[in-house]
Amino acid sequence: MGITRPGCWGYNNQRRYQRMSSQPVRVRYAPSPTGEPHVGNIRTALFNWLFARRHGGAFIVRIEDTDRDRYIPGAVEAILESLHWLGLDWDEGPTGQAQESHGRHAPYFQSQRLPLYHEAAQQLVSGGHAYRCYCSPQRLEELRKQQAQEKRPPGYDRRCRDLTDAQRREMETQGTPSVVRFRVPQEGHSAVNDLVRGEVTWQNNLLDDFVILKSDGFPTYHLASVVDDHHMGISHVMRAEEWLPSTPRHLLLYQAFGWEPPLFAHLPMILGPDRAKLSKRHGATSVLAYREQGFLPEALFNFLVLLGWSLDDRTEVMSRETVVQHFSLERITKAGAIFNSEKLLWLNGVYIRQLAPEDLANRLVPLLERPASQGGLPDEVARPVDRDYLRRIVPLVQERLKALAEGAELTSFFFVERLEYDPALLVQKGMDREGTLRGLQRVLAAVEALASFDLTSLEAAIRPLVEELGVKAGQLFGAIRVATTGRTAAPPLFQTMEVLGRERCLRKLREAVAKLEATKA
RNA sequence: GCCCCCAUCGUCUAGCGGCCCAGGACGCGGCCCUUUCAAGGCCGAGAUCAGGGGUUCGAAUCCCCUUGGGGGCACCA
C-alpha cells in the first residue's frame, strides 16, 4: 500500500477545507431533464442553495442533458419552475428562456458544451489515461450475462485496454463505432474525506474501466460532471448518497487531469414508506404535484430542511432566513429519512394559519376557480370568485385548512345556491321532527325581524330562543347549522351566518323548513 | 455475487463519555376549552438507544464483530 499516495486526496482534506473556507463557495444543482423533479431531488437542490446562501457563495444550476434517449421535453421548465416556486434562486444557469444561460461559465446545458468534453477526453487518451474501446453493446451485454451466471462481479473485461496501434487503426478503417474508456489504475486506493461521512476508501482494482465518452459523441455523467465542476470552479459537490460509489471514479479523473478535486458531501437519501429510495411508484412525489395539492412553498421548504438536518433539539418551524442563518454541514444526518407526509400536512396547516387572511385568500383563488373535476368549487359557482366575499369567508376556514386544495370543500356551501343534504340531519340528538321544525320556524321569524345582520345582533336574537324553546344550545344551533350550511361540521354558527348574509340565511332557513315539512309522514 | 454507506420511540430527530433508567415534533389515546368541526392547552402510552463483545471509574455516545436496512456495480444520470 501507499504506492499511490496521489490517489489519497482525503488525507489533505482537513487542511484543504480550511484553506477553501476563505475561497468563494460555489455549489451546483445538476439535474438531468428526465421528468418533473421529485421531492428527494429538490431536497438536494435545497441543501446546496442553503449552503451557498449561508456562505455568501454562488448557487449554480446546470442541466445534465447528455442522454438524448431519456430527455423529456418540458422537463427543464418543470425543474426551473420547481426551484422558482420554492424560492431557490440561482446565480448562474438557465435563464428560463429556451436553451439560454446566464453566468460567466455559460452555457449551463451540457449538450452545448460538447467540445469541452471532447477536448478533455482527448487529453486523457493522449496522456494514456483513457483509450478507445470498440466492443459492441451486444458483446458487453453478453459479458454481463455471463458474469451474472458465474456469480462474478459485473464490469468491463478490458479487452480493448491494450490494443496495439495496428489493431486500433484496423478498427478505425473498418469504421467500427467506439467509446472512450478511462484506464483505471490497477493498484492503490482512492479516498475521499466526505464532509458528512468522514473518510471513505476504495480499492482501485475493484473499479472497471468505465466509459467517459459514448459512441454518439456525448460524454457520460462521470466525465461531464468532473469537467464542468472543474471549469465552473465548483468548491463543494453536495449530492445524494447514491453517488457515493462513483466518487472514486471522479477522484481518479481529477487525478488524471491533474486538477484539484472539490470537496464532497454526500447527503442522506429520502426514502418512501417502505424504506426504499423515493420514486414515482411511491405516489405523487413531484414537487409540482405538491403545489397542485395546495401545499405552501414555505411549508415544503421547512419540511424538506428537516429531512436530514436539524437546528437544535426542538426548533422545527423556522423561517427561511433562520435556516439560512444556521445551516451547516455538521448538522446533516447520515441515515436516510422516510418522507412523512402526515407531518408535512401538519406543517402546512401551521403555515396556513400564519398567513395574513388577505394573503390566504389570494392563494386560494386559483385553486377554487379550477373546474370541480380538478378540485375546484362546484361548476355552478360563477367564476371569477367574488373576492370581497371570499375575503370574509377566509378567516372562518383558515384554522381548518391543512392544504389549500381543501378550500373548495370547506367553503362550497358559502357559494352554492341550493344546499343538498339529508333533512334528517336537521333533527338533532334528543330532538324530534316537530320540535326541530318549530325551532327553525321560530329562528326564521327572529332572523326576519332583525334590523341589522351582524354577529352581535344574530346572537342576541337567537341565543335566547334556546331557553324559550326549552332545548339545549347544541340542539338548536346544530339544527341551524345544518339548515344554513348543509353540514354538521362547519365554522362557528353566528360568524358563518354573518358572512352568509341576510338573504342567503333566510332563504336557507326557509328551505330547511320546507324540507322538514315535506318529510312529514 | 462484489463494493460502499447507515442503524435512538411507528415516523422525523436531539444527544458528539458522566447533565439521559434518553429530550422535542408528527401521528395515536385521554382530559380541558366549546353550539359542531377545527385550532389551542394539559396529561399519557410509545425507544431494555438493533444484538454481542471490548475500552473506561463511567457508554446511546469510542473500537470490533454480528444482524438488519439502504445504495451502487450501463455507451442512465
mmCIF file of all heavy atoms in Angstrom, chain A residues 106-149:
data_model
loop_
_atom_site.group_PDB
_atom_site.id
_atom_site.type_symbol
_atom_site.label_atom_id
_atom_site.label_comp_id
_atom_site.label_asym_id
_atom_site.label_seq_id
_atom_site.Cartn_x
_atom_site.Cartn_y
_atom_site.Cartn_z
ATOM 1 N N ALA A 106 -21.202 30.185 -18.875
ATOM 2 C CA ALA A 106 -22.223 29.722 -19.808
ATOM 3 C C ALA A 106 -21.566 29.034 -21.007
ATOM 4 O O ALA A 106 -20.433 29.380 -21.347
ATOM 5 C CB ALA A 106 -23.059 30.912 -20.265
ATOM 6 N N PRO A 107 -22.264 28.114 -21.661
ATOM 7 C CA PRO A 107 -23.630 27.686 -21.348
ATOM 8 C C PRO A 107 -23.691 26.686 -20.193
ATOM 9 O O PRO A 107 -22.686 26.065 -19.868
ATOM 10 C CB PRO A 107 -24.073 27.025 -22.646
ATOM 11 C CG PRO A 107 -22.816 26.489 -23.245
ATOM 12 C CD PRO A 107 -21.740 27.485 -22.889
ATOM 13 N N TYR A 108 -24.879 26.544 -19.625
ATOM 14 C CA TYR A 108 -25.058 25.629 -18.495
ATOM 15 C C TYR A 108 -25.879 24.396 -18.881
ATOM 16 O O TYR A 108 -26.441 23.737 -18.033
ATOM 17 C CB TYR A 108 -25.684 26.368 -17.314
ATOM 18 C CG TYR A 108 -24.720 27.385 -16.720
ATOM 19 C CD1 TYR A 108 -24.614 28.666 -17.258
ATOM 20 C CD2 TYR A 108 -23.879 27.048 -15.660
ATOM 21 C CE1 TYR A 108 -23.705 29.588 -16.746
ATOM 22 C CE2 TYR A 108 -22.966 27.960 -15.141
ATOM 23 C CZ TYR A 108 -22.885 29.227 -15.694
ATOM 24 O OH TYR A 108 -21.980 30.135 -15.186
ATOM 25 N N PHE A 109 -25.954 24.179 -20.188
ATOM 26 C CA PHE A 109 -26.567 22.950 -20.691
ATOM 27 C C PHE A 109 -25.409 22.115 -21.216
ATOM 28 O O PHE A 109 -24.682 22.565 -22.105
ATOM 29 C CB PHE A 109 -27.531 23.252 -21.840
ATOM 30 C CG PHE A 109 -28.812 23.919 -21.398
ATOM 31 C CD1 PHE A 109 -28.847 25.289 -21.143
ATOM 32 C CD2 PHE A 109 -29.973 23.174 -21.232
ATOM 33 C CE1 PHE A 109 -30.025 25.901 -20.727
ATOM 34 C CE2 PHE A 109 -31.158 23.791 -20.827
ATOM 35 C CZ PHE A 109 -31.174 25.156 -20.566
ATOM 36 N N GLN A 110 -25.249 20.922 -20.693
ATOM 37 C CA GLN A 110 -24.098 20.126 -21.118
ATOM 38 C C GLN A 110 -24.131 19.791 -22.605
ATOM 39 O O GLN A 110 -23.086 19.644 -23.225
ATOM 40 C CB GLN A 110 -24.007 18.854 -20.272
ATOM 41 C CG GLN A 110 -23.631 19.189 -18.833
ATOM 42 C CD GLN A 110 -23.356 17.971 -17.987
ATOM 43 O OE1 GLN A 110 -23.961 16.925 -18.176
ATOM 44 N NE2 GLN A 110 -22.433 18.099 -17.036
ATOM 45 N N SER A 111 -25.323 19.704 -23.150
ATOM 46 C CA SER A 111 -25.415 19.388 -24.574
ATOM 47 C C SER A 111 -24.798 20.500 -25.424
ATOM 48 O O SER A 111 -24.502 20.311 -26.588
ATOM 49 C CB SER A 111 -26.877 19.188 -24.972
ATOM 50 O OG SER A 111 -27.626 20.355 -24.691
ATOM 51 N N GLN A 112 -24.581 21.656 -24.811
ATOM 52 C CA GLN A 112 -23.990 22.777 -25.543
ATOM 53 C C GLN A 112 -22.500 22.922 -25.249
ATOM 54 O O GLN A 112 -21.873 23.895 -25.633
ATOM 55 C CB GLN A 112 -24.716 24.087 -25.177
ATOM 56 C CG GLN A 112 -26.167 24.104 -25.599
ATOM 57 C CD GLN A 112 -26.928 25.289 -25.022
ATOM 58 O OE1 GLN A 112 -26.330 26.269 -24.589
ATOM 59 N NE2 GLN A 112 -28.243 25.203 -25.013
ATOM 60 N N ARG A 113 -21.965 21.969 -24.516
ATOM 61 C CA ARG A 113 -20.556 22.064 -24.117
ATOM 62 C C ARG A 113 -19.721 20.890 -24.639
ATOM 63 O O ARG A 113 -18.631 20.614 -24.145
ATOM 64 C CB ARG A 113 -20.474 22.101 -22.585
ATOM 65 C CG ARG A 113 -21.257 23.250 -21.972
ATOM 66 C CD ARG A 113 -21.403 23.117 -20.470
ATOM 67 N NE ARG A 113 -20.143 23.165 -19.745
ATOM 68 C CZ ARG A 113 -19.511 24.281 -19.415
ATOM 69 N NH1 ARG A 113 -20.027 25.444 -19.752
ATOM 70 N NH2 ARG A 113 -18.379 24.232 -18.763
ATOM 71 N N LEU A 114 -20.252 20.217 -25.649
ATOM 72 C CA LEU A 114 -19.595 19.028 -26.168
ATOM 73 C C LEU A 114 -18.099 19.183 -26.487
ATOM 74 O O LEU A 114 -17.307 18.300 -26.144
ATOM 75 C CB LEU A 114 -20.359 18.502 -27.402
ATOM 76 C CG LEU A 114 -21.370 17.376 -27.168
ATOM 77 C CD1 LEU A 114 -21.936 17.362 -25.757
ATOM 78 C CD2 LEU A 114 -22.481 17.414 -28.196
ATOM 79 N N PRO A 115 -17.689 20.254 -27.150
ATOM 80 C CA PRO A 115 -16.261 20.396 -27.486
ATOM 81 C C PRO A 115 -15.360 20.298 -26.257
ATOM 82 O O PRO A 115 -14.264 19.753 -26.317
ATOM 83 C CB PRO A 115 -16.185 21.792 -28.108
ATOM 84 C CG PRO A 115 -17.552 22.045 -28.635
ATOM 85 C CD PRO A 115 -18.487 21.385 -27.671
ATOM 86 N N LEU A 116 -15.856 20.816 -25.148
ATOM 87 C CA LEU A 116 -15.089 20.793 -23.909
ATOM 88 C C LEU A 116 -14.798 19.360 -23.469
ATOM 89 O O LEU A 116 -13.690 19.026 -23.046
ATOM 90 C CB LEU A 116 -15.925 21.496 -22.835
ATOM 91 C CG LEU A 116 -15.219 22.299 -21.757
ATOM 92 C CD1 LEU A 116 -14.285 23.318 -22.377
ATOM 93 C CD2 LEU A 116 -16.264 22.997 -20.901
ATOM 94 N N TYR A 117 -15.809 18.508 -23.599
ATOM 95 C CA TYR A 117 -15.648 17.123 -23.173
ATOM 96 C C TYR A 117 -14.765 16.351 -24.148
ATOM 97 O O TYR A 117 -13.981 15.496 -23.749
ATOM 98 C CB TYR A 117 -17.012 16.438 -23.042
ATOM 99 C CG TYR A 117 -18.025 17.258 -22.270
ATOM 100 C CD1 TYR A 117 -19.269 17.559 -22.806
ATOM 101 C CD2 TYR A 117 -17.699 17.764 -21.010
ATOM 102 C CE1 TYR A 117 -20.189 18.322 -22.097
ATOM 103 C CE2 TYR A 117 -18.619 18.534 -20.306
ATOM 104 C CZ TYR A 117 -19.857 18.823 -20.864
ATOM 105 O OH TYR A 117 -20.755 19.589 -20.177
ATOM 106 N N HIS A 118 -14.927 16.677 -25.414
ATOM 107 C CA HIS A 118 -14.101 16.008 -26.430
ATOM 108 C C HIS A 118 -12.644 16.326 -26.181
ATOM 109 O O HIS A 118 -11.773 15.456 -26.228
ATOM 110 C CB HIS A 118 -14.519 16.458 -27.825
ATOM 111 C CG HIS A 118 -15.873 15.959 -28.213
ATOM 112 N ND1 HIS A 118 -16.592 16.467 -29.263
ATOM 113 C CD2 HIS A 118 -16.656 14.996 -27.660
ATOM 114 C CE1 HIS A 118 -17.754 15.841 -29.368
ATOM 115 N NE2 HIS A 118 -17.824 14.945 -28.384
ATOM 116 N N GLU A 119 -12.391 17.574 -25.922
ATOM 117 C CA GLU A 119 -11.028 18.011 -25.664
ATOM 118 C C GLU A 119 -10.468 17.308 -24.426
ATOM 119 O O GLU A 119 -9.343 16.818 -24.419
ATOM 120 C CB GLU A 119 -11.033 19.523 -25.443
ATOM 121 C CG GLU A 119 -9.668 20.167 -25.433
ATOM 122 C CD GLU A 119 -9.778 21.645 -25.063
ATOM 123 O OE1 GLU A 119 -10.790 22.268 -25.445
ATOM 124 O OE2 GLU A 119 -8.877 22.151 -24.368
ATOM 125 N N ALA A 120 -11.289 17.235 -23.400
ATOM 126 C CA ALA A 120 -10.858 16.590 -22.164
ATOM 127 C C ALA A 120 -10.580 15.110 -22.396
ATOM 128 O O ALA A 120 -9.562 14.578 -21.942
ATOM 129 C CB ALA A 120 -11.924 16.763 -21.084
ATOM 130 N N ALA A 121 -11.482 14.459 -23.122
ATOM 131 C CA ALA A 121 -11.310 13.035 -23.389
ATOM 132 C C ALA A 121 -10.026 12.820 -24.196
ATOM 133 O O ALA A 121 -9.250 11.898 -23.934
ATOM 134 C CB ALA A 121 -12.510 12.492 -24.150
ATOM 135 N N GLN A 122 -9.818 13.685 -25.159
ATOM 136 C CA GLN A 122 -8.621 13.583 -25.993
ATOM 137 C C GLN A 122 -7.361 13.732 -25.142
ATOM 138 O O GLN A 122 -6.382 13.024 -25.310
ATOM 139 C CB GLN A 122 -8.661 14.656 -27.091
ATOM 140 C CG GLN A 122 -7.564 14.507 -28.130
ATOM 141 C CD GLN A 122 -7.443 13.060 -28.634
ATOM 142 O OE1 GLN A 122 -8.429 12.434 -29.030
ATOM 143 N NE2 GLN A 122 -6.237 12.485 -28.583
ATOM 144 N N GLN A 123 -7.457 14.655 -24.217
ATOM 145 C CA GLN A 123 -6.318 14.894 -23.310
ATOM 146 C C GLN A 123 -5.992 13.623 -22.527
ATOM 147 O O GLN A 123 -4.829 13.262 -22.375
ATOM 148 C CB GLN A 123 -6.670 16.033 -22.357
ATOM 149 C CG GLN A 123 -5.544 16.419 -21.399
ATOM 150 C CD GLN A 123 -6.036 17.426 -20.341
ATOM 151 O OE1 GLN A 123 -6.963 18.191 -20.613
ATOM 152 N NE2 GLN A 123 -5.428 17.423 -19.170
ATOM 153 N N LEU A 124 -7.008 12.950 -22.083
ATOM 154 C CA LEU A 124 -6.780 11.728 -21.313
ATOM 155 C C LEU A 124 -6.228 10.608 -22.196
ATOM 156 O O LEU A 124 -5.342 9.866 -21.784
ATOM 157 C CB LEU A 124 -8.085 11.275 -20.642
ATOM 158 C CG LEU A 124 -8.597 12.176 -19.530
ATOM 159 C CD1 LEU A 124 -9.850 11.580 -18.895
ATOM 160 C CD2 LEU A 124 -7.532 12.385 -18.458
ATOM 161 N N VAL A 125 -6.748 10.531 -23.402
ATOM 162 C CA VAL A 125 -6.259 9.496 -24.313
ATOM 163 C C VAL A 125 -4.778 9.750 -24.615
ATOM 164 O O VAL A 125 -3.941 8.847 -24.533
ATOM 165 C CB VAL A 125 -7.079 9.476 -25.623
ATOM 166 C CG1 VAL A 125 -6.413 8.550 -26.644
ATOM 167 C CG2 VAL A 125 -8.507 9.013 -25.350
ATOM 168 N N SER A 126 -4.457 10.981 -24.921
ATOM 169 C CA SER A 126 -3.070 11.330 -25.230
ATOM 170 C C SER A 126 -2.155 11.024 -24.056
ATOM 171 O O SER A 126 -1.035 10.560 -24.228
ATOM 172 C CB SER A 126 -2.950 12.817 -25.552
ATOM 173 O OG SER A 126 -3.845 13.159 -26.569
ATOM 174 N N GLY A 127 -2.654 11.274 -22.867
ATOM 175 C CA GLY A 127 -1.839 11.045 -21.682
ATOM 176 C C GLY A 127 -1.821 9.596 -21.231
ATOM 177 O O GLY A 127 -1.219 9.262 -20.212
ATOM 178 N N GLY A 128 -2.530 8.746 -21.968
ATOM 179 C CA GLY A 128 -2.539 7.337 -21.603
ATOM 180 C C GLY A 128 -3.508 7.012 -20.471
ATOM 181 O O GLY A 128 -3.511 5.913 -19.927
ATOM 182 N N HIS A 129 -4.351 7.965 -20.113
ATOM 183 C CA HIS A 129 -5.302 7.722 -19.025
ATOM 184 C C HIS A 129 -6.624 7.172 -19.531
ATOM 185 O O HIS A 129 -7.498 6.836 -18.740
ATOM 186 C CB HIS A 129 -5.565 9.024 -18.271
ATOM 187 C CG HIS A 129 -4.378 9.513 -17.505
ATOM 188 N ND1 HIS A 129 -3.845 8.832 -16.442
ATOM 189 C CD2 HIS A 129 -3.602 10.612 -17.671
ATOM 190 C CE1 HIS A 129 -2.811 9.498 -15.957
ATOM 191 N NE2 HIS A 129 -2.633 10.574 -16.710
ATOM 192 N N ALA A 130 -6.754 7.130 -20.855
ATOM 193 C CA ALA A 130 -8.001 6.625 -21.418
ATOM 194 C C ALA A 130 -7.695 5.998 -22.767
ATOM 195 O O ALA A 130 -6.629 6.222 -23.324
ATOM 196 C CB ALA A 130 -9.014 7.763 -21.573
ATOM 197 N N TYR A 131 -8.618 5.187 -23.248
ATOM 198 C CA TYR A 131 -8.391 4.532 -24.531
ATOM 199 C C TYR A 131 -9.706 4.297 -25.235
ATOM 200 O O TYR A 131 -10.761 4.291 -24.608
ATOM 201 C CB TYR A 131 -7.668 3.191 -24.325
ATOM 202 C CG TYR A 131 -8.419 2.221 -23.436
ATOM 203 C CD1 TYR A 131 -9.346 1.313 -23.962
ATOM 204 C CD2 TYR A 131 -8.204 2.213 -22.046
ATOM 205 C CE1 TYR A 131 -10.034 0.433 -23.144
ATOM 206 C CE2 TYR A 131 -8.894 1.348 -21.221
ATOM 207 C CZ TYR A 131 -9.808 0.445 -21.771
ATOM 208 O OH TYR A 131 -10.492 -0.425 -20.957
ATOM 209 N N ARG A 132 -9.609 4.093 -26.557
ATOM 210 C CA ARG A 132 -10.834 3.830 -27.309
ATOM 211 C C ARG A 132 -11.182 2.357 -27.195
ATOM 212 O O ARG A 132 -10.301 1.498 -27.199
ATOM 213 C CB ARG A 132 -10.651 4.196 -28.783
ATOM 214 C CG ARG A 132 -10.435 5.686 -29.003
ATOM 215 C CD ARG A 132 -11.047 6.171 -30.315
ATOM 216 N NE ARG A 132 -12.463 6.419 -30.204
ATOM 217 C CZ ARG A 132 -13.015 7.635 -30.009
ATOM 218 N NH1 ARG A 132 -12.260 8.714 -29.937
ATOM 219 N NH2 ARG A 132 -14.320 7.753 -29.901
ATOM 220 N N CYS A 133 -12.456 2.106 -27.059
ATOM 221 C CA CYS A 133 -12.923 0.730 -26.923
ATOM 222 C C CYS A 133 -13.921 0.465 -28.044
ATOM 223 O O CYS A 133 -14.841 1.250 -28.259
ATOM 224 C CB CYS A 133 -13.595 0.547 -25.562
ATOM 225 S SG CYS A 133 -14.584 -0.955 -25.425
ATOM 226 N N TYR A 134 -13.728 -0.653 -28.741
ATOM 227 C CA TYR A 134 -14.553 -0.961 -29.913
ATOM 228 C C TYR A 134 -15.551 -2.077 -29.656
ATOM 229 O O TYR A 134 -16.180 -2.590 -30.576
ATOM 230 C CB TYR A 134 -13.643 -1.316 -31.086
ATOM 231 C CG TYR A 134 -12.665 -0.208 -31.421
ATOM 232 C CD1 TYR A 134 -11.420 -0.150 -30.788
ATOM 233 C CD2 TYR A 134 -12.998 0.808 -32.320
ATOM 234 C CE1 TYR A 134 -10.532 0.879 -31.048
ATOM 235 C CE2 TYR A 134 -12.116 1.840 -32.590
ATOM 236 C CZ TYR A 134 -10.882 1.876 -31.953
ATOM 237 O OH TYR A 134 -10.020 2.898 -32.210
ATOM 238 N N CYS A 135 -15.669 -2.472 -28.412
ATOM 239 C CA CYS A 135 -16.597 -3.560 -28.094
ATOM 240 C C CYS A 135 -18.037 -3.124 -28.365
ATOM 241 O O CYS A 135 -18.423 -2.011 -28.027
ATOM 242 C CB CYS A 135 -16.459 -3.972 -26.637
ATOM 243 S SG CYS A 135 -14.845 -4.687 -26.265
ATOM 244 N N SER A 136 -18.796 -4.016 -28.960
ATOM 245 C CA SER A 136 -20.186 -3.680 -29.280
ATOM 246 C C SER A 136 -21.062 -3.817 -28.035
ATOM 247 O O SER A 136 -20.746 -4.588 -27.124
ATOM 248 C CB SER A 136 -20.703 -4.628 -30.357
ATOM 249 O OG SER A 136 -20.824 -5.929 -29.818
ATOM 250 N N PRO A 137 -22.139 -3.082 -28.023
ATOM 251 C CA PRO A 137 -23.086 -3.187 -26.895
ATOM 252 C C PRO A 137 -23.549 -4.626 -26.700
ATOM 253 O O PRO A 137 -23.761 -5.052 -25.571
ATOM 254 C CB PRO A 137 -24.248 -2.297 -27.339
ATOM 255 C CG PRO A 137 -23.633 -1.315 -28.266
ATOM 256 C CD PRO A 137 -22.535 -2.050 -28.986
ATOM 257 N N GLN A 138 -23.680 -5.349 -27.801
ATOM 258 C CA GLN A 138 -24.126 -6.743 -27.704
ATOM 259 C C GLN A 138 -23.106 -7.584 -26.940
ATOM 260 O O GLN A 138 -23.454 -8.408 -26.095
ATOM 261 C CB GLN A 138 -24.342 -7.360 -29.093
ATOM 262 C CG GLN A 138 -25.404 -6.671 -29.928
ATOM 263 C CD GLN A 138 -24.875 -5.411 -30.622
ATOM 264 O OE1 GLN A 138 -25.167 -4.302 -30.164
ATOM 265 N NE2 GLN A 138 -24.101 -5.561 -31.683
ATOM 266 N N ARG A 139 -21.826 -7.359 -27.272
ATOM 267 C CA ARG A 139 -20.798 -8.141 -26.591
ATOM 268 C C ARG A 139 -20.805 -7.829 -25.090
ATOM 269 O O ARG A 139 -20.708 -8.711 -24.243
ATOM 270 C CB ARG A 139 -19.408 -7.835 -27.157
ATOM 271 C CG ARG A 139 -18.331 -8.725 -26.510
ATOM 272 C CD ARG A 139 -16.937 -8.454 -27.002
ATOM 273 N NE ARG A 139 -16.119 -7.750 -26.044
ATOM 274 C CZ ARG A 139 -15.608 -8.294 -24.938
ATOM 275 N NH1 ARG A 139 -15.861 -9.528 -24.630
ATOM 276 N NH2 ARG A 139 -14.876 -7.569 -24.112
ATOM 277 N N LEU A 140 -20.964 -6.560 -24.783
ATOM 278 C CA LEU A 140 -20.958 -6.150 -23.376
ATOM 279 C C LEU A 140 -22.154 -6.754 -22.649
ATOM 280 O O LEU A 140 -22.054 -7.177 -21.502
ATOM 281 C CB LEU A 140 -20.996 -4.623 -23.273
ATOM 282 C CG LEU A 140 -19.780 -3.939 -23.885
ATOM 283 C CD1 LEU A 140 -19.958 -2.432 -23.865
ATOM 284 C CD2 LEU A 140 -18.515 -4.331 -23.137
ATOM 285 N N GLU A 141 -23.248 -6.803 -23.376
ATOM 286 C CA GLU A 141 -24.469 -7.385 -22.817
ATOM 287 C C GLU A 141 -24.230 -8.845 -22.463
ATOM 288 O O GLU A 141 -24.537 -9.300 -21.362
ATOM 289 C CB GLU A 141 -25.587 -7.276 -23.867
ATOM 290 C CG GLU A 141 -26.925 -7.834 -23.429
ATOM 291 C CD GLU A 141 -27.547 -7.026 -22.306
ATOM 292 O OE1 GLU A 141 -27.230 -5.799 -22.226
ATOM 293 O OE2 GLU A 141 -28.304 -7.591 -21.517
ATOM 294 N N GLU A 142 -23.635 -9.565 -23.403
ATOM 295 C CA GLU A 142 -23.361 -10.976 -23.183
ATOM 296 C C GLU A 142 -22.370 -11.172 -22.050
ATOM 297 O O GLU A 142 -22.504 -12.076 -21.233
ATOM 298 C CB GLU A 142 -22.809 -11.622 -24.463
ATOM 299 C CG GLU A 142 -23.907 -12.164 -25.369
ATOM 300 C CD GLU A 142 -23.363 -12.539 -26.740
ATOM 301 O OE1 GLU A 142 -22.278 -13.143 -26.778
ATOM 302 O OE2 GLU A 142 -24.028 -12.206 -27.747
ATOM 303 N N LEU A 143 -21.407 -10.286 -22.037
ATOM 304 C CA LEU A 143 -20.386 -10.349 -20.994
ATOM 305 C C LEU A 143 -21.045 -10.256 -19.620
ATOM 306 O O LEU A 143 -20.775 -11.041 -18.712
ATOM 307 C CB LEU A 143 -19.384 -9.200 -21.182
ATOM 308 C CG LEU A 143 -18.271 -9.081 -20.157
ATOM 309 C CD1 LEU A 143 -17.353 -10.295 -20.230
ATOM 310 C CD2 LEU A 143 -17.462 -7.809 -20.388
ATOM 311 N N ARG A 144 -21.930 -9.293 -19.509
ATOM 312 C CA ARG A 144 -22.621 -9.100 -18.235
ATOM 313 C C ARG A 144 -23.452 -10.322 -17.851
ATOM 314 O O ARG A 144 -23.479 -10.744 -16.710
ATOM 315 C CB ARG A 144 -23.534 -7.872 -18.314
ATOM 316 C CG ARG A 144 -22.902 -6.613 -17.754
ATOM 317 C CD ARG A 144 -23.931 -5.510 -17.579
ATOM 318 N NE ARG A 144 -24.531 -5.122 -18.849
ATOM 319 C CZ ARG A 144 -23.976 -4.240 -19.683
ATOM 320 N NH1 ARG A 144 -22.830 -3.672 -19.384
ATOM 321 N NH2 ARG A 144 -24.560 -3.928 -20.814
ATOM 322 N N LYS A 145 -24.101 -10.871 -18.873
ATOM 323 C CA LYS A 145 -24.940 -12.029 -18.618
ATOM 324 C C LYS A 145 -24.100 -13.193 -18.071
ATOM 325 O O LYS A 145 -24.463 -13.864 -17.111
ATOM 326 C CB LYS A 145 -25.643 -12.464 -19.913
ATOM 327 C CG LYS A 145 -27.159 -12.608 -19.745
ATOM 328 C CD LYS A 145 -27.824 -13.083 -21.022
ATOM 329 C CE LYS A 145 -28.057 -11.933 -22.005
ATOM 330 N NZ LYS A 145 -28.641 -12.388 -23.284
ATOM 331 N N GLN A 146 -22.969 -13.369 -18.734
ATOM 332 C CA GLN A 146 -22.083 -14.458 -18.341
ATOM 333 C C GLN A 146 -21.564 -14.240 -16.920
ATOM 334 O O GLN A 146 -21.520 -15.154 -16.101
ATOM 335 C CB GLN A 146 -20.918 -14.522 -19.321
ATOM 336 C CG GLN A 146 -20.209 -15.854 -19.317
ATOM 337 C CD GLN A 146 -19.197 -15.926 -20.458
ATOM 338 O OE1 GLN A 146 -18.936 -14.921 -21.122
ATOM 339 N NE2 GLN A 146 -18.624 -17.088 -20.658
ATOM 340 N N GLN A 147 -21.192 -12.996 -16.656
ATOM 341 C CA GLN A 147 -20.660 -12.680 -15.330
ATOM 342 C C GLN A 147 -21.704 -12.941 -14.257
ATOM 343 O O GLN A 147 -21.403 -13.447 -13.178
ATOM 344 C CB GLN A 147 -20.209 -11.215 -15.282
ATOM 345 C CG GLN A 147 -18.910 -10.967 -16.014
ATOM 346 C CD GLN A 147 -18.681 -9.505 -16.289
ATOM 347 O OE1 GLN A 147 -19.611 -8.715 -16.392
ATOM 348 N NE2 GLN A 147 -17.416 -9.117 -16.407
ATOM 349 N N ALA A 148 -22.936 -12.610 -14.584
ATOM 350 C CA ALA A 148 -24.020 -12.834 -13.627
ATOM 351 C C ALA A 148 -24.202 -14.324 -13.393
ATOM 352 O O ALA A 148 -24.390 -14.771 -12.259
ATOM 353 C CB ALA A 148 -25.309 -12.221 -14.159
ATOM 354 N N GLN A 149 -24.107 -15.068 -14.490
ATOM 355 C CA GLN A 149 -24.273 -16.516 -14.406
ATOM 356 C C GLN A 149 -23.202 -17.145 -13.523
ATOM 357 O O GLN A 149 -23.477 -18.001 -12.698
ATOM 358 C CB GLN A 149 -24.176 -17.107 -15.808
ATOM 359 C CG GLN A 149 -25.204 -18.170 -16.092
ATOM 360 C CD GLN A 149 -25.197 -18.508 -17.581
ATOM 361 O OE1 GLN A 149 -24.146 -18.801 -18.140
ATOM 362 N NE2 GLN A 149 -26.353 -18.455 -18.211
#
